[in-house]
Amino acid sequence: MQATVRSFDPVTRSGSVFLDDGTVLEFGTPAFDAGPLRLLRSGQRVRLAMTGDEITYITLSTFPLPDSPGIQESPGSPRDKETPGPPTGDRAPGYFL
């Protein structure tokens, strides 16, 4: 599930987000600390993992969610597909002898 940061307090490492339908959800320190981020700013797009109605993980929208039994995206949310790496070998596109 994706959302937009509404507020973030760097002291408590908690805040709130707007879902795309305008719903406001709060997230606590544990949800922020579970992810790789150090800071959020208002208006930033983020990706959320939820357990029930509680945000359990928050990261940037371009970062994948971890595969963990306790971390689940909301049903119907798109997951990132693995992106293939760059071509290898001596005939990779853009490679000239």
Side-chain angles (χ1 to χ4, degrees):
M1 171 182 295
Q2 291 193 8
T4 303
V5 175
R6 177 176 177 247
S7 65
F8 177 71
D9 181 349
V11 174
T12 63
R13 298 181 320 281
S14 61
S16 62
V17 296
F18 287 115
L19 299 182
D20 291 339
D21 66 2
T23 304
V24 175
L25 292 178
E26 305 284 328
F27 64 90
T29 305
F32 185 77
D33 287 348
L37 306 179
R38 291 196 257 171
L39 188 65
L40 287 171
R41 58 179 164 53
S42 295
Q44 198 165 21
R45 289 292 287 176
V46 291
R47 179 170 292 188
L48 310 173
M50 310 219 11
T51 300
D53 292 336
E54 181 182 355
I55 297 173
T56 56
Y57 189 94
I58 187 165
T59 191
L60 297 180
S61 63
T62 56
F63 290 3
L65 291 174
D67 291 327
S68 170
I71 303 290
Q72 297 179 1
E73 245 185 302
S74 297
S77 296
R79 289 290 297 197
D80 281 347
K81 294 187 170 95
E82 283 199 33
T83 308
T88 57
D90 49 52
R91 294 293 175 200
Y95 180 84
F96 298 100
L97 293 174

